[in-house]
Amino acid sequence: MNSDVMLTYRCAPGIVWVKDATQTILVDADTGSSWQLGGWDAAVWDLLCLGYQTVEIVRFLALLLDITPKAAGRRLRDTLVQWEDNGVVCGTADGNRG
């Protein structure tokens, strides 16, 4: 993640989700689009919804996936960009949590 700007991401308005034993299912209440998250991306979703900062999530991913923090940052950035492009999350540079 870019250390010059601290972005915080939150669930986009209109997104509802449910967890079961193996996945998290996201649904856009406005469009009916849906996504299934499993594995580490479901863990990232949980951490975002709990209000964790991206730098904290990078540390968690590096440990969870046994990769370098730089590689974890790239994976997280790519995931968040994809989610933002799909309207699943909103990013802000204001430093507010959640």
Side-chain angles (χ1 to χ4, degrees):
M1 306 303 302
N2 183 349
S3 59
D4 297 332
V5 177
M6 175 58 71
L7 292 179
T8 301
Y9 289 84
R10 62 178 171 78
C11 177
I15 298 294
V16 294
W17 70 94
V18 64
K19 294 178 65 79
D20 68 16
T22 61
Q23 64 188 349
T24 300
I25 302 169
L26 313 176
V27 178
D28 185 326
D30 298 326
T31 66
S33 299
S34 64
W35 301 266
Q36 295 176 345
L37 306 179
W40 67 268
D41 57 341
V44 167
W45 179 262
D46 289 345
L47 294 171
L48 285 176
C49 291
L50 290 170
Y52 282 79
Q53 299 269 334
T54 52
V55 67
E56 297 168 308
I57 298 171
V58 166
R59 282 194 297 261
F60 172 80
L61 278 179
L63 291 170
L64 178 69
L65 300 174
D66 194 24
I67 58 178
T68 67
K70 187 173 183 175
R74 284 191 303 268
R75 281 199 188 188
L76 180 58
R77 182 191 62 236
D78 293 348
T79 298
L80 292 173
V81 166
Q82 181 182 19
W83 288 353
E84 193 167 27
D85 288 348
N86 287 320
V88 174
V89 297
C90 300
T92 179
D94 65 7
N96 290 333
R97 292 189 133 209

